[in-house]
Amino acid sequence: MFLFKPLTIFTLNIILSPLLVYGEITVDSNELIPKKLKKGQGVIMVVGESRNVAISAVHRTPETTADCHGNINEITKTYEGPCFLSTQDQQQTFHAKCLDSPGSATIVFHKDGEKGNTVETQAVDGIWTGFDDRMPLKQSNMSTKKQGVKVILNCYNNKST
Ligand SMILES: *[C@@H]1O[C@H](CO)[C@@H](O)[C@H](O)[C@H]1NC(C)=O
C-alpha cells in the first residue's frame, strides 16, 4: 500500500486541480523554519504529535497561503505543521483542529503594518496556544503585538516545547 500512496496523491491532484480556485497551502517537508522570525513572517508550530493537529486555510479574500510540513488529508485539505507563512501582503487566517481530542483554534495573522495586534488566536474546547516557547501555553483567546510571530499549539497540555 505504501508504495502506491504517492501515486494516489498525484492522481487526486490532477483530478482536483481544475477545482482549486482558492489560494493554497502547499506541502514542503524540507521547509526550514527559521529559529528567529523576521517582520512579515509567521509560523504555526505543533507541540507533540504533529499529525494529530489538522491545519487548514480559512478562505477569505485575499486567500490564505502557507507552506506546511505535510498533508493530513488531500480531500479535506488539512495539513500537518509546522506551517510557514508571510504577512507582508495580506492577512492570513487558519483553523487548527485536534484530531484525537476536542480542541480547535482559529489563528489570524494580520497584515504587516496594520495597527493593533499582529496575531490573534481564538481557542475552543481546551486547546493550548501561545507565542513564546519559554512560557506555558494557555487555554484562552490570546493576542500579541510582536512582529514575526510563532503560534504554538498543543492539544494535550500547556507545554510550549
Ligand atoms: C474569544 O474570542 C471570540 C471572538 O472574538 C469571542 O466570541 C469569545 O467570547 C472569546 N472567548 C473568551 C473566553 O473570551
Side-chain angles (χ1 to χ4, degrees):
M1 272 318 276
F2 177 75
L3 276 177
F4 288 99
K5 216 175 155 198
L7 184 62
T8 312
I9 290 168
F10 181 68
T11 310
L12 271 174
N13 265 331
I14 290 174
I15 294 167
L16 292 175
S17 52
L19 304 172
L20 298 180
V21 293
Y22 294 123
E24 275 302 304
I25 290 183
T26 51
V27 171
D28 183 356
S29 53
N30 296 316
E31 175 89 62
L32 290 173
I33 306 291
K35 263 216 140 54
K36 190 145 175 41
L37 300 179
K38 291 188 212 143
K39 188 170 180 287
Q41 296 180 326
V43 165
I44 302 172
M45 294 288 299
V46 175
V47 176
E49 185 51 63
S50 61
R51 287 202 68 83
N52 285 343
V53 182
I55 295 166
S56 53
V58 174
H59 295 305
R60 297 245 167 85
T61 309
E63 289 304 333
T64 291
T65 61
D67 282 332
C68 294
H69 179 76
N71 187 297
I72 287 179
N73 188 317
E74 183 79 24
I75 306 294
T76 58
K77 303 209 180 305
T78 51
Y79 297 88
E80 175 191 328
C83 296
F84 188 61
L85 60 113
S86 167
T87 58
Q88 216 127 40
D89 302 319
Q90 64 180 87
Q91 175 178 310
Q92 305 260 37
T93 307
F94 299 87
H95 188 72
K97 188 178 185 330
C98 302
L99 295 180
D100 60 5
S101 60
S104 68
T106 301
I107 304 152
V108 181
F109 292 86
H110 291 284
K111 184 179 167 177
D112 235 25
E114 278 181 357
K115 276 213 168 78
N117 294 321
T118 54
V119 178
E120 285 157 16
T121 64
Q122 185 187 326
V124 181
D125 293 336
I127 187 173
W128 284 261
T129 69
F131 307 118
D132 188 332
D133 56 19
R134 295 159 303 180
M135 304 274 281
L137 305 176
K138 290 184 181 164
Q139 278 186 320
S140 60
N141 293 350
M142 291 186 73
S143 64
T144 181
K145 292 182 167 26
K146 244 181 10 184
Q147 304 277 356
V149 179
K150 181 161 61 173
V151 173
I152 305 163
L153 305 176
N154 189 331
C155 288
Y156 308 106
N157 54 49
N158 69 356
K159 291 197 166 76
S160 55
T161 50

